[in-house]
């Protein structure tokens, strides 16, 4: 066990640092038909609805799908869009939005794309104009926290517009769900997708979709893939509480523990408060060291922060990354298309003290590199 506590701290978009108790919950070998496992699946599905502030009585269902988050998004895209007339509007301001557009192409789904710079919110007027120009659009997808930059997109305002025009609304809430309060009904979301290893602080292995039941029923027969058939997956879970194919047993047990720790922390509000403290500490410290943020503060979410590469001639990101890594702090290169950035995540089982430790390590690293930004 000792070595488990000595891992490097992950300040990344995921996988993330998890608690020792979440890791310990995996030290079991439960069969897929074991009642204990089936109960865990049921409890997890119920807890996810609670986290999304909805219930079965209100007409919502939670479906778990094996694989990473991308598998979950692809399950929704390839199951929700009708084969005959499906037409997807993809609203993009980062790499995860781009990925969804690619999914539509792979599955031969008609798509319209609205693409914006990574530091810009999609303008509502342009979404509305797109609905007027393309009346055949049936579904709309947007990313809540675009982890590429850390920008928070206005999912509620977009949702209101999507419903005004009678479309189905899909939200990739991968890096926000569990830490950013999201009432699925109030946001008028038909399919919300997230995964086990982000803000709920489980380990990687599955994604989940919280879906409005009528929208889920409408998926029947649409799937372009056997394994990513969201409707069939739901049907299987409903019929006997089981997955259609080998379930991620250990990951589910870890996730159930993670959910209990999430509840103990005060649920979404508690988790959100810790991440916001992490974010505030990080940004204040980075500014003091002379770093500049990529996003305007009012667009920047508290999940992950992007910082511009300093222009100092001695700054070399690869070296910076490696020196921090040697000090047991793992940060993440940016994936922005136009600007050189690196990212620091505020999520996972990390505290303000960990952020303070990171800031000291960054300060020392700058000295090592002879980079003075002040
Ligand atoms: C992490 C993430 C995903 C899924 O990525 P995987 O590597 O497949 O888990 C999708 N969308 C967003 C916004 C993410 O942050």
């Amino acid at each position: 066990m000792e070595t488990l506590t000595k891992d490097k701290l992950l300040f990344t978009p995921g996988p993330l640092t998890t608690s020792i108790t979440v890791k310990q919950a995996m030290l079991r070998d439960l069969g897929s038909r074991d009642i204990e496992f089936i109960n865990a699946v049921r409890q997890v599905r119920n807890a996810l609805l609670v986290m999304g502030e909805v219930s079965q009585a209100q007409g919502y269902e939670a479906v778990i799908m094996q694989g990473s988050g991308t598998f979950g998004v692809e399950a929704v895209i390839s199951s929700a869009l009708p084969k005959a007339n499906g037409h997807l509007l993809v609203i993009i301001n980062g790499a995860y939005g781009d990925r969804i557009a690619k999914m539509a192409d792979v599955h031969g789904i008609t798509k319209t794309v609205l693409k914006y710079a990574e530091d810009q919110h999609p303008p509502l007027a342009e979404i509305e104009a797109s609905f007027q120009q393309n009346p055949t659009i049936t579904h709309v997808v947007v990313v809540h926290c675009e982890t590429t930059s850390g920008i928070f997109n206005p999912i509620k305002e977009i949702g209101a517009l999507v419903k005004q025009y009678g479309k189905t609304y899909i939200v990739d809430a991968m890096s926000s769900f569990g830490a950013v309060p999201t009432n699925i009904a109030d946001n008028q979301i038909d399919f919300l997708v997230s995964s086990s290893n982000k803000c709920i602080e489980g380990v990687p292995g599955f994604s989940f979709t919280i879906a409005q039941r009528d929208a889920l029923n409408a998926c029947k027969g649409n799937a372009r893939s056997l394994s990513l058939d969201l409707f069939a997956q739901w049907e299987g879970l409903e019929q006997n509480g089981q997955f259609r194919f080998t379930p991620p047993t250990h990951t589910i047990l870890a996730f159930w523990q993670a959910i209990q720790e999430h509840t103990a922390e005060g649920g979404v509000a508690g988790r959100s408060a810790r991440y916001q403290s992490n974010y505030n500490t990080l940004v204040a410290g980075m500014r003091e060291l002379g770093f500049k943020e990529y996003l305007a503060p009012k667009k920047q979410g508290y999940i992950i922060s992007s910082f511009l590469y300093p222009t100092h001639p001695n700054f070399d990101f690869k070296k910076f990354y490696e020196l921090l890594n040697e000090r047991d702090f793992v940060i993440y290169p940016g994936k922005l298309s136009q600007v050189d950035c690196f990212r620091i995540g505020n999520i996972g089982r990390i505290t303000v003290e960990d952020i303070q430790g990171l800031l000291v390590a960054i300060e020392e690293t700058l000295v090592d590199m002879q980079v003075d930004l002040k």
Side-chain angles (χ1 to χ4, degrees), residues 13 68-71 96 99 143 145 147 172 174-175 195 197-198:
S68 80
T70 303
F71 292 63
Y96 292 99
R99 188 179 292 178
V143 178
C145 169
T147 324
D172 171 348
M174 209 67 65
S175 61
S195 76
N197 63 285
K198 299 227 172 166

Side-chain angles (χ1 to χ4, degrees), residues 6-316:
K6 285 193 180 150
D7 288 326
K8 297 172 190 206
L9 286 173
L10 304 175
F11 297 88
T12 67
L16 303 169
T17 298
T18 57
S19 70
I20 188 90
T21 33
V22 162
K23 288 182 273 279
Q24 279 169 341
M26 290 187 286
L27 302 177
R28 308 281 311 277
D29 295 309
L30 293 186
S32 56
R33 285 158 197 276
D34 192 306
I35 189 70
E36 220 185 312
F37 175 65
I38 289 176
N39 281 340
V41 172
R42 187 174 41 76
Q43 286 170 308
V44 162
R45 291 176 66 207
N46 288 338
L48 290 173
L49 293 175
V50 172
M51 226 178 271
E53 301 173 40
V54 290
S55 65
Q56 282 192 307
Q58 269 176 285
Y60 291 86
E61 299 286 347
V63 187
I64 301 171
M65 180 69 84
Q66 298 95 324
S68 80
T70 303
F71 292 63
V73 177
E74 188 160 11
V76 171
I77 299 299
S78 63
S79 301
L81 276 286
K83 278 185 185 145
N85 66 345
H87 182 168
L88 181 65
L89 175 66
V90 192
I91 302 169
I92 303 175
N93 56 354
Y96 292 99
D98 276 327
R99 188 179 292 178
I100 298 172
K102 232 178 261 172
M103 288 173 192
D105 290 341
V106 166
H107 295 288
I109 291 166
T110 304
K111 71 171 198 299
T112 294
V113 165
L114 286 176
K115 187 161 173 161
Y116 301 99
E118 287 136 339
D119 60 349
Q120 296 304 315
H121 280 150
L124 294 176
E126 292 190 19
I127 298 172
E128 182 155 27
S130 183
F131 290 157
Q132 285 162 355
Q133 284 155 22
N134 307 279
T136 59
I137 288 171
T138 54
H139 292 63
V140 179
V141 62
V142 72
V143 178
H144 187 191
C145 169
E146 208 358 309
T147 324
T148 311
S149 64
I151 196 170
F152 276 8
N153 282 320
I155 55 166
K156 188 162 188 180
E157 291 77 2
I158 296 173
L161 197 53
V162 167
K163 287 299 154 185
Q164 189 190 323
Y165 282 81
K167 324 283 186 198
T168 301
Y169 190 30
I170 303 167
V171 174
D172 171 348
M174 209 67 65
S175 61
S176 59
F177 192 70
V180 181
T182 306
N183 181 308
I184 294 177
D186 283 355
N187 284 281
Q188 309 196 63
I189 300 168
D190 295 296
F191 297 94
L192 174 143
V193 190
S194 186
S195 76
S196 54
N197 63 285
K198 299 227 172 166
C199 299
I200 304 170
E201 301 185 358
V203 303
F206 66 85
S207 67
F208 54 86
T209 299
I210 303 176
Q212 202 276 330
R213 192 180 301 117
D214 294 335
L216 194 51
N217 272 312
C219 293
K220 189 174 184 175
N222 288 341
R224 280 97 172 154
S225 148
L226 176 74
S227 55
L228 295 180
D229 185 336
L230 188 71
F231 181 83
Q233 187 83 351
W234 176 47
E235 216 175 29
L237 287 167
E238 285 300 301
Q239 273 164 10
N240 52 16
Q242 300 205 6
F243 287 73
R244 292 174 301 153
F245 313 118
T246 303
T249 44
H250 301 78
T251 307
I252 294 275
L253 293 176
F255 194 66
W256 177 231
Q257 174 64 27
I259 285 178
Q260 287 167 279
E261 292 176 17
H262 184 272
T263 306
E265 195 174 348
V268 177
R271 182 86 16 125
S272 165
R274 172 159 58 89
Y275 289 176
Q276 290 191 57
S277 301
N278 288 349
Y279 165 73
N280 290 331
T281 306
L282 177 73
V283 169
M286 289 296 276
R287 283 181 188 162
E288 205 168 307
L289 290 171
F291 286 93
K292 295 202 162 48
E293 298 117 81
Y294 167 64
L295 290 175
K298 68 178 192 321
K299 291 182 194 148
Q300 174 69 63
Y302 50 85
I303 298 297
I304 192 162
S305 312
S306 297
F307 296 95
L308 299 168
Y309 281 14
T311 50
H312 192 285
N314 290 349
F315 184 83
D316 171 42

